[in-house]
Amino acid sequence: MQDKDYNTLGDALKAAAELDKLRLHTPGHKGGLCGVDLTELTDESFPSRHVASAERRAAEIYGAKHGRFLCGGSSQGVKAAVMFSGGGIIADVNSHRSVFDGARLAGAKCRTVGEKGSVYPIAPRDIMTALDGASGEDICAVVLTTPTYYGYCADVDGIAELCKKRGLLFICDGAHGAHFGFSDKLPKSVAPYCDICNLSAHKTLSALTQSAMLFDNLDGEKSGALNDAVDIMGTTSPSYLLYASIDYAVRRAASEETAAAYAALYAATEDIKREFPFLRNDDFSRLVLDCAALGVSPNALNDRLCRLGVFPELVDERRVVFILTAEDAPTAVTELAAALRRTISELQ
């Protein structure tokens, strides 16, 4: 296969599959499950530079210096970033378990801040308090979760400034914010404002499950060391199907079509928020229903919704969370509203 430029990583994958007529290599299904599920070709024609090219495009779109695709989810990126930091970290007490797993793997101390169960992210003052209490400890990095699972964003600019003054690595777990920056109705992406950030392409973009991205704004040597940590936390047999889906999802997210889709969704969510007590968070596409304000049980509401074929993202002791993406038509919001009217009336 001639090492040429392709419009997308998917195009390069299809070209390689067409050339690969007698597959005397892995994977064992030999194309029977999926014709474009390939390994590296021994003439180095695929993936060659095609993956790296797609990663550079993604970094440019998000406004970061470097980018890499992950097929181990954002968990791979978070653990790699924590390991790369090389010392103790300050993290939100409500951080994803990958933050704490990364600290355990690195043998690093993790000092937590914030209120357990809070829907809000930590603030610069929380980090300052933690730093004051960590006198003498080897604190090297701050790991910030933004947005939270409930759609609230942190003061990224303020925390970035604080980290710079204190000489701390600023790591953002932005797993639920991969769609940020692609509509004027959404918050800005964190990628240009921190040292390292991970984004889950499969959570809010049109990518396959386990697809994620890790971006950094480090110099070349440090970025290379981060790559080493990513490799340690990943697999030597990455799925190029997942990688191709990331490339597709990022390109789709950056399109005018996606911006128009979010504009239409925004209008629909404003209507449903006037009818039901959804939290007024920073991410309009993250619908968080306050069941306590309705006087109904979140679990009971979830059970009835699921019987109607409406499956939320998350249920906690007070709230039910629904995720909308650019793949949802405004009619999805209308259908959700109808389901809520029916189920709530049965419970109240």
Side-chain angles (χ1 to χ4, degrees):
M1 183 173 109
Q2 185 178 1
D3 193 12
K4 56 177 284 187
D5 290 324
Y6 291 90
N7 289 330
T8 69
L9 181 54
D11 291 338
L13 192 57
K14 290 175 184 176
E18 290 173 0
L19 176 70
D20 193 14
K21 300 184 185 303
L22 182 60
R23 300 189 177 191
L24 302 179
H25 56 72
T26 61
H29 62 74
K30 302 302 181 85
L33 288 177
C34 178
V36 291
D37 181 24
L38 291 178
T39 186
E40 301 91 341
L41 300 184
T42 53
D43 68 350
E44 298 185 352
S45 58
F46 186 84
S48 186
R49 58 191 172 88
H50 306 301
V51 172
S53 178
E55 290 173 330
R56 285 194 296 271
R57 284 196 298 266
E60 182 178 351
I61 287 171
Y62 277 97
K65 283 186 178 180
H66 312 104
R68 52 200 58 78
F69 292 168
L70 311 174
C71 58
S74 272
S75 296
Q76 179 187 354
V78 170
K79 287 183 280 190
V82 172
M83 174 171 280
F84 166 79
S85 68
I89 62 173
I90 292 173
D92 189 334
V93 69
N94 298 303
S95 294
H96 187 264
R97 62 167 289 180
S98 57
V99 174
F100 307 112
D101 288 347
R104 288 175 60 194
L105 287 168
K109 182 177 179 58
C110 180
R111 179 175 285 270
T112 58
V113 295
E115 180 184 349
K116 188 72 174 176
S118 174
V119 301
Y120 303 108
I122 57 174
R125 63 178 179 277
D126 299 315
I127 297 169
M128 286 295 297
T129 300
L131 287 171
D132 291 341
S135 178
E137 295 181 15
D138 181 25
I139 301 295
C140 294
V142 170
V143 182
L144 174 70
T145 301
T146 183
T148 67
Y149 220 113
Y150 301 93
Y152 287 99
C153 297
D155 177 7
V156 173
D157 292 336
I159 295 175
E161 182 179 355
L162 171 60
C163 288
K164 185 175 181 180
K165 287 181 179 178
R166 293 297 189 102
L168 300 172
L169 190 71
F170 182 24
I171 302 170
C172 278
D173 177 4
H176 288 268
H179 57 306
F180 285 5
F182 295 118
S183 167
D184 59 8
K185 304 297 184 184
L186 291 166
K188 65 185 181 183
S189 172
V190 299
Y193 304 99
C194 55
D195 295 308
I196 305 171
C197 79
N198 61 277
L199 303 174
S200 285
H202 73 96
K203 283 184 167 63
T204 57
L205 301 186
S206 306
L208 294 172
T209 297
Q210 283 188 215
S211 301
M213 300 168 282
L214 190 69
F215 295 108
D216 76 72
N217 294 296
L218 305 170
D219 62 34
E221 183 177 349
K222 289 183 177 179
S223 185
L226 177 61
N227 277 337
D228 292 341
V230 171
D231 289 342
I232 290 171
M233 293 299 175
T235 174
T236 57
S237 300
S239 168
Y240 298 115
L241 280 174
L242 297 189
Y243 284 0
S245 79
I246 297 171
D247 184 40
Y248 166 81
V250 171
R251 288 168 173 268
R252 184 168 174 81
S255 69
E256 293 182 4
E257 180 184 1
T258 291
Y262 275 123
L265 273 179
Y266 179 80
T269 59
E270 285 297 289
D271 289 338
I272 199 173
K273 288 175 183 178
R274 281 190 286 267
E275 184 174 356
F276 302 101
F278 287 99
L279 301 186
R280 285 287 176 174
N281 52 16
D282 299 308
D283 179 3
F284 81 87
S285 66
R286 182 65 53 114
L287 296 175
V288 183
L289 184 66
D290 187 352
C291 294
L294 286 168
V296 301
S297 162
N299 287 321
L301 179 63
N302 178 63
D303 288 344
R304 281 168 170 75
L305 287 173
C306 291
R307 290 175 199 168
L308 296 175
V310 179
F311 288 83
E313 165 70 14
L314 171 73
V315 181
D316 67 18
E317 66 280 356
R318 182 184 176 109
R319 310 165 193 91
V320 178
V321 180
F322 309 87
I323 296 177
L324 296 171
T325 76
E327 300 303 318
D328 288 298
T331 52
V333 183
T334 305
E335 292 173 10
L336 173 60
L340 288 176
R341 290 187 202 104
R342 175 176 172 178
T343 53
I344 292 170
S345 67
E346 293 172 353
L347 292 170
Q348 287 180 327

